[in-house]
Amino acid sequence: RKYKTTQGVRKLNISIDVPMLIAKAKSESGLTLGHMAKEMHVSQPRLSEWMKKQAEPSADQIAYLADKANLPFAMKYIVANF
């Protein structure tokens, strides 16, 4: 269930090491960076920017990477919902 108000809701700050997540997704899935970029509908240069922390992926893209990295279900849920 999604709520439209933030009144009375605590924010959850989660720090995700995107370069490490990308590396883990690549090693666990066996996919190339080019293939992952294509599946996420981004360019390889954009993926490179994420790895250099010059840009950030969307929540959906982080969820994709978490799935490819074979992260535990709880982590995938947190990534997908916050």
Short mmCIF file of all heavy atoms in Angstrom, two decimals, residues 17-59:
data_model
loop_
_atom_site.label_atom_id
_atom_site.label_comp_id
_atom_site.label_asym_id
_atom_site.label_seq_id
_atom_site.Cartn_x
_atom_site.Cartn_y
_atom_site.Cartn_z
N ASP A 17 26.06 1.46 -1.93
CA ASP A 17 27.32 1.61 -2.67
C ASP A 17 27.05 1.12 -4.09
O ASP A 17 27.17 -0.07 -4.38
CB ASP A 17 28.42 0.80 -2.00
CG ASP A 17 29.78 1.01 -2.64
OD1 ASP A 17 29.85 1.43 -3.81
OD2 ASP A 17 30.78 0.73 -1.96
N VAL A 18 26.66 2.05 -4.95
CA VAL A 18 26.26 1.70 -6.32
C VAL A 18 27.39 1.02 -7.10
O VAL A 18 27.14 0.01 -7.75
CB VAL A 18 25.67 2.91 -7.06
CG1 VAL A 18 25.38 2.58 -8.51
CG2 VAL A 18 24.40 3.38 -6.36
N PRO A 19 28.63 1.53 -7.05
CA PRO A 19 29.68 0.84 -7.79
C PRO A 19 29.86 -0.62 -7.35
O PRO A 19 30.04 -1.51 -8.18
CB PRO A 19 30.94 1.66 -7.49
CG PRO A 19 30.42 3.03 -7.20
CD PRO A 19 29.11 2.79 -6.48
N MET A 20 29.76 -0.86 -6.05
CA MET A 20 29.89 -2.23 -5.56
C MET A 20 28.68 -3.07 -5.98
O MET A 20 28.82 -4.24 -6.34
CB MET A 20 30.04 -2.26 -4.03
CG MET A 20 30.35 -3.65 -3.51
SD MET A 20 30.97 -3.74 -1.82
CE MET A 20 29.76 -2.85 -0.89
N LEU A 21 27.50 -2.46 -5.97
CA LEU A 21 26.29 -3.17 -6.40
C LEU A 21 26.39 -3.56 -7.87
O LEU A 21 26.04 -4.67 -8.26
CB LEU A 21 25.05 -2.30 -6.15
CG LEU A 21 23.71 -2.89 -6.54
CD1 LEU A 21 23.44 -4.20 -5.81
CD2 LEU A 21 22.60 -1.88 -6.28
N ILE A 22 26.90 -2.66 -8.70
CA ILE A 22 27.07 -2.95 -10.13
C ILE A 22 28.07 -4.09 -10.31
O ILE A 22 27.82 -5.03 -11.08
CB ILE A 22 27.52 -1.70 -10.91
CG1 ILE A 22 26.39 -0.67 -10.94
CG2 ILE A 22 27.95 -2.06 -12.33
CD1 ILE A 22 26.80 0.70 -11.46
N ALA A 23 29.19 -4.03 -9.59
CA ALA A 23 30.21 -5.09 -9.70
C ALA A 23 29.64 -6.43 -9.26
O ALA A 23 29.88 -7.46 -9.90
CB ALA A 23 31.43 -4.72 -8.87
N LYS A 24 28.88 -6.43 -8.17
CA LYS A 24 28.28 -7.67 -7.67
C LYS A 24 27.25 -8.20 -8.67
O LYS A 24 27.19 -9.41 -8.94
CB LYS A 24 27.63 -7.41 -6.31
CG LYS A 24 26.90 -8.56 -5.72
CD LYS A 24 27.78 -9.38 -4.84
CE LYS A 24 26.93 -10.38 -4.06
NZ LYS A 24 27.66 -11.57 -3.77
N ALA A 25 26.44 -7.31 -9.23
CA ALA A 25 25.44 -7.72 -10.22
C ALA A 25 26.11 -8.34 -11.44
O ALA A 25 25.67 -9.37 -11.96
CB ALA A 25 24.59 -6.52 -10.63
N LYS A 26 27.20 -7.74 -11.87
CA LYS A 26 27.94 -8.25 -13.03
C LYS A 26 28.53 -9.62 -12.73
O LYS A 26 28.40 -10.56 -13.53
CB LYS A 26 29.05 -7.26 -13.41
CG LYS A 26 29.83 -7.64 -14.65
CD LYS A 26 30.88 -6.58 -14.97
CE LYS A 26 31.66 -6.92 -16.21
NZ LYS A 26 32.50 -8.08 -16.11
N SER A 27 29.17 -9.77 -11.58
CA SER A 27 29.82 -11.05 -11.27
C SER A 27 28.81 -12.16 -11.00
O SER A 27 29.01 -13.29 -11.41
CB SER A 27 30.79 -10.90 -10.09
OG SER A 27 30.10 -10.66 -8.89
N GLU A 28 27.72 -11.83 -10.32
CA GLU A 28 26.72 -12.86 -9.99
C GLU A 28 25.91 -13.29 -11.21
O GLU A 28 25.55 -14.45 -11.33
CB GLU A 28 25.77 -12.36 -8.90
CG GLU A 28 26.39 -12.26 -7.53
CD GLU A 28 26.69 -13.61 -6.91
OE1 GLU A 28 25.88 -14.55 -7.05
OE2 GLU A 28 27.77 -13.72 -6.28
N SER A 29 25.60 -12.33 -12.08
CA SER A 29 24.74 -12.65 -13.22
C SER A 29 25.52 -13.18 -14.43
O SER A 29 24.95 -13.84 -15.28
CB SER A 29 23.96 -11.40 -13.65
OG SER A 29 24.84 -10.43 -14.22
N GLY A 30 26.81 -12.83 -14.50
CA GLY A 30 27.60 -13.22 -15.66
C GLY A 30 27.32 -12.35 -16.88
O GLY A 30 27.80 -12.63 -17.97
N LEU A 31 26.54 -11.29 -16.69
CA LEU A 31 26.20 -10.39 -17.80
C LEU A 31 27.30 -9.34 -17.96
O LEU A 31 27.99 -9.00 -17.01
CB LEU A 31 24.88 -9.68 -17.53
CG LEU A 31 23.64 -10.57 -17.40
CD1 LEU A 31 22.44 -9.73 -16.99
CD2 LEU A 31 23.36 -11.29 -18.70
N THR A 32 27.42 -8.83 -19.16
CA THR A 32 28.35 -7.73 -19.40
C THR A 32 27.68 -6.43 -18.96
O THR A 32 26.45 -6.36 -18.83
CB THR A 32 28.71 -7.62 -20.89
OG1 THR A 32 27.53 -7.26 -21.62
CG2 THR A 32 29.30 -8.91 -21.42
N LEU A 33 28.50 -5.41 -18.76
CA LEU A 33 27.95 -4.10 -18.42
C LEU A 33 27.05 -3.60 -19.55
O LEU A 33 26.01 -2.99 -19.30
CB LEU A 33 29.07 -3.11 -18.13
CG LEU A 33 29.88 -3.37 -16.86
CD1 LEU A 33 31.01 -2.35 -16.75
CD2 LEU A 33 29.00 -3.33 -15.63
N GLY A 34 27.44 -3.87 -20.78
CA GLY A 34 26.64 -3.46 -21.93
C GLY A 34 25.27 -4.10 -21.93
O GLY A 34 24.26 -3.45 -22.22
N HIS A 35 25.22 -5.40 -21.59
CA HIS A 35 23.94 -6.10 -21.56
C HIS A 35 23.05 -5.54 -20.44
O HIS A 35 21.86 -5.31 -20.64
CB HIS A 35 24.16 -7.60 -21.37
CG HIS A 35 22.90 -8.40 -21.49
ND1 HIS A 35 22.46 -8.88 -22.70
CD2 HIS A 35 21.99 -8.78 -20.57
CE1 HIS A 35 21.32 -9.53 -22.50
NE2 HIS A 35 21.01 -9.47 -21.22
N MET A 36 23.65 -5.30 -19.26
CA MET A 36 22.87 -4.76 -18.15
C MET A 36 22.36 -3.36 -18.50
O MET A 36 21.21 -3.03 -18.22
CB MET A 36 23.69 -4.74 -16.86
CG MET A 36 23.90 -6.13 -16.28
SD MET A 36 24.53 -6.14 -14.59
CE MET A 36 26.10 -5.31 -14.79
N ALA A 37 23.21 -2.54 -19.11
CA ALA A 37 22.80 -1.19 -19.50
C ALA A 37 21.62 -1.26 -20.46
O ALA A 37 20.63 -0.52 -20.31
CB ALA A 37 23.97 -0.45 -20.13
N LYS A 38 21.70 -2.16 -21.43
CA LYS A 38 20.62 -2.31 -22.41
C LYS A 38 19.31 -2.72 -21.73
O LYS A 38 18.25 -2.19 -22.04
CB LYS A 38 21.02 -3.33 -23.47
CG LYS A 38 20.06 -3.43 -24.62
CD LYS A 38 20.60 -4.34 -25.70
CE LYS A 38 19.65 -4.37 -26.89
NZ LYS A 38 20.19 -5.16 -27.99
N GLU A 39 19.39 -3.67 -20.80
CA GLU A 39 18.18 -4.12 -20.10
C GLU A 39 17.57 -3.02 -19.24
O GLU A 39 16.37 -3.02 -19.01
CB GLU A 39 18.49 -5.35 -19.24
CG GLU A 39 18.66 -6.61 -20.05
CD GLU A 39 18.68 -7.87 -19.20
OE1 GLU A 39 18.77 -7.79 -17.95
OE2 GLU A 39 18.62 -8.95 -19.80
N MET A 40 18.41 -2.10 -18.75
CA MET A 40 17.91 -1.00 -17.92
C MET A 40 17.56 0.23 -18.76
O MET A 40 17.15 1.26 -18.22
CB MET A 40 18.94 -0.61 -16.85
CG MET A 40 19.09 -1.65 -15.78
SD MET A 40 20.18 -1.09 -14.45
CE MET A 40 21.78 -1.24 -15.24
N HIS A 41 17.75 0.14 -20.08
CA HIS A 41 17.44 1.24 -21.01
C HIS A 41 18.28 2.49 -20.72
O HIS A 41 17.78 3.61 -20.71
CB HIS A 41 15.95 1.59 -20.99
CG HIS A 41 15.08 0.40 -21.24
ND1 HIS A 41 14.97 -0.18 -22.49
CD2 HIS A 41 14.30 -0.33 -20.41
CE1 HIS A 41 14.15 -1.21 -22.40
NE2 HIS A 41 13.74 -1.33 -21.16
N VAL A 42 19.57 2.25 -20.45
CA VAL A 42 20.53 3.34 -20.27
C VAL A 42 21.74 3.06 -21.15
O VAL A 42 21.96 1.94 -21.59
CB VAL A 42 20.97 3.53 -18.80
CG1 VAL A 42 19.80 3.87 -17.91
CG2 VAL A 42 21.71 2.32 -18.28
N SER A 43 22.53 4.09 -21.37
CA SER A 43 23.75 3.92 -22.17
C SER A 43 24.88 3.40 -21.27
O SER A 43 24.84 3.55 -20.05
CB SER A 43 24.16 5.24 -22.79
OG SER A 43 24.51 6.17 -21.78
N GLN A 44 25.88 2.80 -21.90
CA GLN A 44 27.05 2.37 -21.13
C GLN A 44 27.75 3.56 -20.48
O GLN A 44 28.20 3.44 -19.34
CB GLN A 44 28.02 1.58 -22.01
CG GLN A 44 27.59 0.13 -22.15
CD GLN A 44 28.67 -0.71 -22.79
OE1 GLN A 44 28.65 -0.93 -24.00
NE2 GLN A 44 29.60 -1.18 -21.99
N PRO A 45 27.84 4.73 -21.15
CA PRO A 45 28.43 5.88 -20.46
C PRO A 45 27.67 6.26 -19.19
O PRO A 45 28.27 6.68 -18.21
CB PRO A 45 28.38 6.99 -21.51
CG PRO A 45 28.43 6.26 -22.81
CD PRO A 45 27.62 5.01 -22.57
N ARG A 46 26.33 6.12 -19.20
CA ARG A 46 25.54 6.42 -18.01
C ARG A 46 25.90 5.45 -16.88
O ARG A 46 26.08 5.84 -15.73
CB ARG A 46 24.05 6.36 -18.31
CG ARG A 46 23.15 6.52 -17.10
CD ARG A 46 23.35 7.81 -16.37
NE ARG A 46 22.74 8.88 -17.09
CZ ARG A 46 22.77 10.16 -16.71
NH1 ARG A 46 23.41 10.52 -15.63
NH2 ARG A 46 22.21 11.08 -17.43
N LEU A 47 26.04 4.19 -17.21
CA LEU A 47 26.44 3.17 -16.23
C LEU A 47 27.82 3.51 -15.67
O LEU A 47 28.05 3.40 -14.46
CB LEU A 47 26.44 1.79 -16.89
CG LEU A 47 26.37 0.57 -16.01
CD1 LEU A 47 25.12 0.56 -15.16
CD2 LEU A 47 26.43 -0.68 -16.86
N SER A 48 28.69 3.98 -16.51
CA SER A 48 30.02 4.40 -16.09
C SER A 48 29.94 5.58 -15.12
O SER A 48 30.68 5.65 -14.13
CB SER A 48 30.86 4.76 -17.31
OG SER A 48 32.14 5.16 -16.92
N GLU A 49 29.00 6.50 -15.37
CA GLU A 49 28.81 7.64 -14.47
C GLU A 49 28.36 7.16 -13.09
O GLU A 49 28.78 7.70 -12.07
CB GLU A 49 27.78 8.61 -15.05
CG GLU A 49 28.28 9.39 -16.24
CD GLU A 49 27.18 10.22 -16.89
OE1 GLU A 49 26.02 10.20 -16.44
OE2 GLU A 49 27.50 10.91 -17.89
N TRP A 50 27.50 6.14 -13.06
CA TRP A 50 27.08 5.58 -11.77
C TRP A 50 28.27 4.99 -11.04
O TRP A 50 28.39 5.15 -9.84
CB TRP A 50 26.03 4.50 -11.96
CG TRP A 50 24.75 4.92 -12.59
CD1 TRP A 50 24.29 6.19 -12.81
CD2 TRP A 50 23.75 4.05 -13.11
NE1 TRP A 50 23.07 6.16 -13.42
CE2 TRP A 50 22.71 4.86 -13.62
CE3 TRP A 50 23.61 2.68 -13.19
CZ2 TRP A 50 21.56 4.33 -14.19
CZ3 TRP A 50 22.48 2.15 -13.76
CH2 TRP A 50 21.46 2.98 -14.26
N MET A 51 29.12 4.30 -11.79
CA MET A 51 30.28 3.65 -11.17
C MET A 51 31.27 4.68 -10.63
O MET A 51 31.98 4.41 -9.66
CB MET A 51 30.95 2.71 -12.16
CG MET A 51 30.05 1.53 -12.53
SD MET A 51 30.74 0.45 -13.77
CE MET A 51 31.96 -0.41 -12.80
N LYS A 52 31.31 5.86 -11.25
CA LYS A 52 32.20 6.93 -10.80
C LYS A 52 31.52 7.86 -9.80
O LYS A 52 32.08 8.88 -9.40
CB LYS A 52 32.69 7.75 -12.00
CG LYS A 52 33.55 6.97 -12.95
CD LYS A 52 33.87 7.83 -14.17
CE LYS A 52 34.58 7.03 -15.24
NZ LYS A 52 34.74 7.82 -16.47
N LYS A 53 30.27 7.54 -9.44
CA LYS A 53 29.45 8.34 -8.52
C LYS A 53 29.21 9.75 -9.05
O LYS A 53 29.08 10.70 -8.30
CB LYS A 53 30.06 8.37 -7.12
CG LYS A 53 30.14 6.99 -6.48
CD LYS A 53 30.65 7.06 -5.08
CE LYS A 53 30.66 5.67 -4.46
NZ LYS A 53 31.08 5.70 -3.07
N GLN A 54 29.13 9.87 -10.37
CA GLN A 54 28.84 11.16 -11.00
C GLN A 54 27.34 11.32 -11.26
O GLN A 54 26.89 12.41 -11.58
CB GLN A 54 29.61 11.28 -12.31
CG GLN A 54 31.10 11.31 -12.13
CD GLN A 54 31.86 11.24 -13.46
OE1 GLN A 54 31.32 10.85 -14.48
NE2 GLN A 54 33.13 11.61 -13.41
N ALA A 55 26.60 10.25 -11.15
CA ALA A 55 25.15 10.23 -11.33
C ALA A 55 24.61 9.06 -10.51
O ALA A 55 25.38 8.21 -10.06
CB ALA A 55 24.79 10.06 -12.81
N GLU A 56 23.30 9.04 -10.31
CA GLU A 56 22.68 7.98 -9.52
C GLU A 56 21.58 7.29 -10.32
O GLU A 56 20.81 7.94 -11.02
CB GLU A 56 22.08 8.56 -8.24
CG GLU A 56 23.10 9.12 -7.30
CD GLU A 56 22.48 9.65 -6.02
OE1 GLU A 56 21.23 9.62 -5.90
OE2 GLU A 56 23.24 10.10 -5.16
N PRO A 57 21.49 5.97 -10.16
CA PRO A 57 20.40 5.25 -10.83
C PRO A 57 19.07 5.49 -10.11
O PRO A 57 19.05 5.89 -8.95
CB PRO A 57 20.83 3.78 -10.70
CG PRO A 57 21.72 3.74 -9.51
CD PRO A 57 22.39 5.08 -9.45
N SER A 58 17.99 5.21 -10.81
CA SER A 58 16.65 5.32 -10.20
C SER A 58 16.42 4.13 -9.27
O SER A 58 17.19 3.16 -9.27
CB SER A 58 15.58 5.30 -11.30
OG SER A 58 15.52 4.01 -11.90
N ALA A 59 15.36 4.21 -8.50
CA ALA A 59 15.01 3.11 -7.59
C ALA A 59 14.76 1.82 -8.38
O ALA A 59 15.18 0.74 -7.96
CB ALA A 59 13.78 3.48 -6.77
#
